[in-house]
Amino acid sequence: MRQIFHTRVGGVTVAANRARPLVRLSGAEMDSGALTLRLMGSPPPWPLTERTLWQGVERLAHDHYLELSPTGSHQEVPWWTPPEPDVPLAAGKDAIREALAEAVGVRTHGGGTVSADLSGGMDSTSVCFLADQGSSRLLTTRWEGRDPSNDDGKWASLAAESLPDAHHHVFPHNLIPKCFSDLVSPTEDVEAPFELIRTRAQLIHHATTVSALGSTLHLSGDGGDELFYALPIYQHSLARARPVTAFRQLRTHRAMYRWRRLPLLGALRDNRSFTQWLGAAADSLTAPPTRPTDPDFGWSSGMRVPGWVTEEGVRSIRRMVRQAAANTPAPLAPLRGQHFALEAARNCGSAMRQANDLTARFGLPLHAPYLDDRVIEAALSIRFADRGDPGGYKPALAAAMRDVVPQEVLGRPTKAEFSAEVYDGLRSNRSELSAFCEDMRLADLGLVDQDAFRSALLGLHPVPRTLIPLESTLAGEAWLRSVHSADSATAPAEGAR
């Protein structure tokens, strides 16, 4: 979540923990190519995620520090390397618990009131039980689900019974701002499109309400999925190191995802390097999206460009992907599963940093303990055979939290989802979304076909996954309008100076 940006101003390197002051100080121009990358259906793969949307403003690599010299120059120096995934779970579970407990403890040792998500899921529940051990008063929060089959409330209530000293606040679904609400409100952050644009109004509502209840910071469970979910991609490396174990786990994965045998064998045989895979991905940008029944053990999630992105935009993305493949010396980690998990954690950190920038302006800073360096190291040191075992839900986290969280909560056999809220938000905000598609600035830049996007946005979506690519375009359009508003607001002052 904590990132550093730098640029050159008057021959001197200037650094900040936000891009906004550097953009204003240097007068940087927007990088429309980088904006085009943000229109893909999922975050672009590393290293394309490192590219900022402002020419001359650089993002420091997460595993480097920035060394500034007295002469005004700088260099990026590596300081961290990912751990080898070679620790058995029995030997590494205590390190996970201790690292997560410390990450939560540094946020709760100061007293006062601290809030935390208590959704009923393993990630947020673990954070709550660790926070309850601190000296701060604990306030838990939960969003009530609109779908009657959403059983988060049942499991959150079960966990709350074991947290009698905490205060528990539930947001009724009929009093929560709907998804996609208030998209036209400009944001002060000109760094990049807001990745959580669908829930922006909800984040503001949550921050305003919870800060009024006395909380000085909020603990999120985000990052737990990225570190502890049994990703199928782990089987690609496991099949080469421990084929018997991989065969057993692949049988479970195959049953879960309904993989066919021949495509599965073909995916397992793929031995392309990261740069080879990245270069080949540039040729499939406009291919049909992969299905859950298609096994994919690539270095990252499949890159697809939505159909409303113009041919010019597709060509730009393809060119940048190929350039990245030609200029990237090595992946984040030698093994695909480790690279994938690190990339996912980085992307989550960027989204949480943006969310914190938003909620902090309404009195509630946001913290994600799972994304602390020591927690990531402890989690990713666990061997794939244990971390990727699909026979249990997040087996590494469950083992680490066994003496902290009640066993009946750790053994939850279900997983809620919130597509009902997304569909309801689309329906309720249909007229506003339609108006949002008028005079699109993305269309003015030649990146988006405005009519095609409107048809996709307001059309039928029988499965929720077709909604995901829409959000990146909505975020890009909202961001462009905010940048335009910010430029208009600062123009007189800039001229006067």
Side-chain angles (χ1 to χ4, degrees), residues 8 19 22 38 97 223 299 332 357 362 404 412 465 470 497:
R8 300 282 290 177
L22 300 183
R38 304 298 182 104
R97 183 179 63 253
W299 286 87
L332 293 170
D357 287 346
F362 294 89
V404 178
R412 177 182 178 179
R465 68 173 178 270
L470 298 168
R497 188 176 68 232

Short mmCIF file of all heavy atoms in Angstrom, two decimals, residues 8 19 22 38 97 223 299 332 357 362 404 412 465 470 497:
data_model
loop_
_atom_site.label_atom_id
_atom_site.label_comp_id
_atom_site.label_asym_id
_atom_site.label_seq_id
_atom_site.Cartn_x
_atom_site.Cartn_y
_atom_site.Cartn_z
N ARG A 8 11.76 14.40 -12.22
CA ARG A 8 12.84 15.37 -12.29
C ARG A 8 12.26 16.76 -12.46
O ARG A 8 11.43 17.00 -13.35
CB ARG A 8 13.77 15.07 -13.47
CG ARG A 8 14.42 13.70 -13.41
CD ARG A 8 15.57 13.65 -12.46
NE ARG A 8 16.72 14.41 -12.94
CZ ARG A 8 17.84 14.56 -12.24
NH1 ARG A 8 17.95 14.04 -11.02
NH2 ARG A 8 18.84 15.25 -12.74
N ALA A 19 1.50 10.58 -6.38
CA ALA A 19 1.86 11.15 -7.69
C ALA A 19 1.35 12.57 -7.85
O ALA A 19 1.94 13.37 -8.59
CB ALA A 19 1.30 10.26 -8.80
N LEU A 22 3.70 15.61 -7.52
CA LEU A 22 4.74 15.60 -8.55
C LEU A 22 4.18 16.02 -9.90
O LEU A 22 4.86 16.70 -10.67
CB LEU A 22 5.35 14.19 -8.64
CG LEU A 22 6.01 13.66 -7.36
CD1 LEU A 22 6.63 12.30 -7.62
CD2 LEU A 22 7.06 14.64 -6.83
N ARG A 38 -5.27 0.69 -18.95
CA ARG A 38 -6.22 0.56 -17.86
C ARG A 38 -7.63 0.19 -18.35
O ARG A 38 -8.51 -0.02 -17.53
CB ARG A 38 -6.30 1.86 -17.06
CG ARG A 38 -4.97 2.36 -16.50
CD ARG A 38 -4.38 1.39 -15.51
NE ARG A 38 -3.14 1.88 -14.93
CZ ARG A 38 -3.03 2.37 -13.69
NH1 ARG A 38 -4.10 2.44 -12.92
NH2 ARG A 38 -1.86 2.78 -13.24
N ARG A 97 1.10 -16.52 11.74
CA ARG A 97 0.30 -15.95 12.82
C ARG A 97 1.03 -14.79 13.49
O ARG A 97 0.44 -13.74 13.76
CB ARG A 97 -0.04 -17.01 13.85
CG ARG A 97 -0.94 -16.50 14.99
CD ARG A 97 -1.28 -17.59 16.00
NE ARG A 97 -0.08 -18.10 16.67
CZ ARG A 97 0.45 -19.29 16.43
NH1 ARG A 97 -0.10 -20.10 15.54
NH2 ARG A 97 1.53 -19.68 17.06
N GLY A 223 -6.35 -8.63 0.74
CA GLY A 223 -5.01 -9.21 0.63
C GLY A 223 -4.98 -10.67 1.03
O GLY A 223 -4.08 -11.40 0.63
N TRP A 299 1.48 -17.08 -16.64
CA TRP A 299 2.17 -16.29 -15.63
C TRP A 299 1.25 -15.27 -14.97
O TRP A 299 1.51 -14.83 -13.85
CB TRP A 299 3.36 -15.57 -16.25
CG TRP A 299 4.52 -16.48 -16.55
CD1 TRP A 299 4.72 -17.21 -17.69
CD2 TRP A 299 5.63 -16.77 -15.70
NE1 TRP A 299 5.89 -17.93 -17.60
CE2 TRP A 299 6.48 -17.68 -16.38
CE3 TRP A 299 6.00 -16.35 -14.42
CZ2 TRP A 299 7.67 -18.16 -15.83
CZ3 TRP A 299 7.18 -16.82 -13.87
CH2 TRP A 299 7.99 -17.72 -14.57
N LEU A 332 8.74 -11.47 -11.45
CA LEU A 332 8.86 -11.12 -10.03
C LEU A 332 9.44 -12.25 -9.21
O LEU A 332 10.06 -12.03 -8.17
CB LEU A 332 7.48 -10.74 -9.48
CG LEU A 332 6.86 -9.47 -10.04
CD1 LEU A 332 5.40 -9.35 -9.60
CD2 LEU A 332 7.65 -8.25 -9.61
N ASP A 357 -6.69 6.77 0.25
CA ASP A 357 -6.67 8.19 -0.11
C ASP A 357 -8.08 8.78 -0.06
O ASP A 357 -8.27 9.94 0.32
CB ASP A 357 -6.08 8.36 -1.51
CG ASP A 357 -4.58 8.14 -1.56
OD1 ASP A 357 -3.97 8.11 -0.48
OD2 ASP A 357 -4.04 7.99 -2.66
N PHE A 362 -12.35 11.49 4.57
CA PHE A 362 -13.60 11.51 5.33
C PHE A 362 -13.39 11.01 6.76
O PHE A 362 -14.33 10.59 7.43
CB PHE A 362 -14.66 10.67 4.61
CG PHE A 362 -15.08 11.25 3.29
CD1 PHE A 362 -14.39 10.92 2.12
CD2 PHE A 362 -16.11 12.17 3.21
CE1 PHE A 362 -14.75 11.46 0.90
CE2 PHE A 362 -16.49 12.72 2.00
CZ PHE A 362 -15.80 12.37 0.84
N VAL A 404 -6.59 -18.94 17.44
CA VAL A 404 -7.04 -17.56 17.59
C VAL A 404 -8.52 -17.42 17.28
O VAL A 404 -9.27 -16.77 18.02
CB VAL A 404 -6.20 -16.62 16.68
CG1 VAL A 404 -6.69 -15.17 16.80
CG2 VAL A 404 -4.72 -16.72 17.02
N ARG A 412 -15.98 -22.73 7.99
CA ARG A 412 -17.11 -22.33 7.14
C ARG A 412 -16.99 -22.96 5.75
O ARG A 412 -15.99 -22.80 5.06
CB ARG A 412 -17.14 -20.81 7.00
CG ARG A 412 -18.23 -20.29 6.07
CD ARG A 412 -18.20 -18.78 5.92
NE ARG A 412 -19.23 -18.31 4.99
CZ ARG A 412 -19.45 -17.04 4.69
NH1 ARG A 412 -18.70 -16.10 5.24
NH2 ARG A 412 -20.40 -16.72 3.84
N ARG A 465 -19.59 -12.07 -14.63
CA ARG A 465 -18.22 -11.79 -15.08
C ARG A 465 -18.17 -10.86 -16.29
O ARG A 465 -17.14 -10.22 -16.54
CB ARG A 465 -17.48 -13.09 -15.37
CG ARG A 465 -17.97 -13.88 -16.56
CD ARG A 465 -17.06 -15.07 -16.85
NE ARG A 465 -17.52 -15.87 -17.98
CZ ARG A 465 -18.34 -16.90 -17.87
NH1 ARG A 465 -18.78 -17.26 -16.66
NH2 ARG A 465 -18.72 -17.59 -18.93
N LEU A 470 -16.51 -3.60 -17.72
CA LEU A 470 -17.17 -2.30 -17.77
C LEU A 470 -16.57 -1.34 -16.74
O LEU A 470 -16.50 -0.13 -16.98
CB LEU A 470 -18.67 -2.46 -17.52
CG LEU A 470 -19.46 -3.30 -18.54
CD1 LEU A 470 -20.85 -3.60 -17.99
CD2 LEU A 470 -19.56 -2.55 -19.86
N ARG A 497 0.75 32.58 -11.20
CA ARG A 497 2.09 32.35 -10.68
C ARG A 497 3.12 32.57 -11.78
O ARG A 497 4.20 33.09 -11.54
CB ARG A 497 2.18 30.92 -10.13
CG ARG A 497 3.49 30.67 -9.40
CD ARG A 497 3.54 29.30 -8.76
NE ARG A 497 3.59 28.26 -9.79
CZ ARG A 497 2.78 27.22 -9.87
NH1 ARG A 497 1.84 27.06 -8.99
NH2 ARG A 497 2.89 26.32 -10.82
#
